[in-house]
Amino acid sequence: MIRQASGPPGVLASGPVCTVRHRRPSAGPRALLLHGLANGPSVWDPLAGTDAAGLDLWTADLPWGGAHPPDWAYRPDATWAVAEALKQVPGGAGTVVAHSFSALLLMELITDELARGGDPFGRYGIDAVVFASPFYRRSPETFEYSVVGELLENFRLTMDEGIRVMAGPRLDPALRHDMAQRVCDRVGPYGYMSFFRSYLRTPWLRTDLFTVPALVIGGEQDFTAVPAESRALTDALPDARCRFIPGAGHFPMVEQADVFAAEIGDFLGSIGLTAPVPLDPSTEPVPLDPSLDHQGA
């Protein structure tokens, strides 16, 4: 099942938001997977091959995916796309697993609605959240000028890392570096600045008002969304636990998919949600659009 939605009226057009069921229906708890900047739904393929496939998995193909044009970033705010994806899951989103840039946008969306006196958790049917490889700082003073250059270089290296973990070691490193540079060129300054603006706003997120349990999970070797920021976000949330996956970097759901899935299963069990239901081995994934999507943040 695919459903498409355009953006708000009166603004530039951008890529569609498509929410698709990643695998055939399961009796397990529902989960919506949100990919990061320059990724695509296929970044969740390794997770769908684990015990987590016993979840009723849905994925969102978001405008900042590698297969879409970069004009999504011409808008001043990208949270509308996350809201649209949440609304498209029948019966509510359940557990929302948001990676990297999408984790930032999910936190922004929730904060904005809470500030207006709304209930985003009830509105979108969110039972729990999983922030994977999140960016977060509690104090604006920690954003020193040097952060600008460091993050820009780390952004390129993260594009390279994403291609490496998805393509495997056989891809020629020189070709991989060229591909990473092309991804950066495609994201462009507007896409990068959309991410950076959201990151700079994290000290003002009202994480203290979040009313659902959270799992903050990252790779021990993540050099861009560093473990210290995951710990800071965990401390800022009322009901959160933090887990790190040894040997993994910015894409733990790809590099250590079984461990990532097990952590989600343990988390759901600890908060009283039904554990993933094992699928019949003959159950096949619902085919996704095979068009190329790059691997980003």
Side-chain angles (χ1 to χ4, degrees), residues 153-167 171-181 183-184 223 251 295-296:
E153 175 58 15
N154 282 348
F155 185 71
R156 185 188 63 80
L157 294 174
T158 302
M159 302 299 111
D160 189 290
E161 179 187 5
I163 295 169
R164 177 183 60 78
V165 300
M166 290 297 289
L171 183 64
D172 178 71
L175 175 59
R176 189 180 73 234
H177 298 337
D178 288 344
M179 291 173 65
Q181 186 58 54
V183 174
C184 291
F223 59 82
F251 300 89
Q295 306 311 321

Side-chain angles (χ1 to χ4, degrees), residues 218-257:
E220 282 188 350
Q221 307 303 317
D222 195 336
F223 59 82
T224 184
V226 297
E229 298 196 15
S230 288
R231 295 189 189 96
L233 177 58
T234 304
D235 291 342
L237 290 161
D239 182 7
R241 61 227 65 195
C242 189
R243 298 289 185 270
F244 295 110
I245 298 180
H250 194 62
F251 300 89
M253 68 284 198
V254 178
E255 298 170 271
Q256 301 282 348

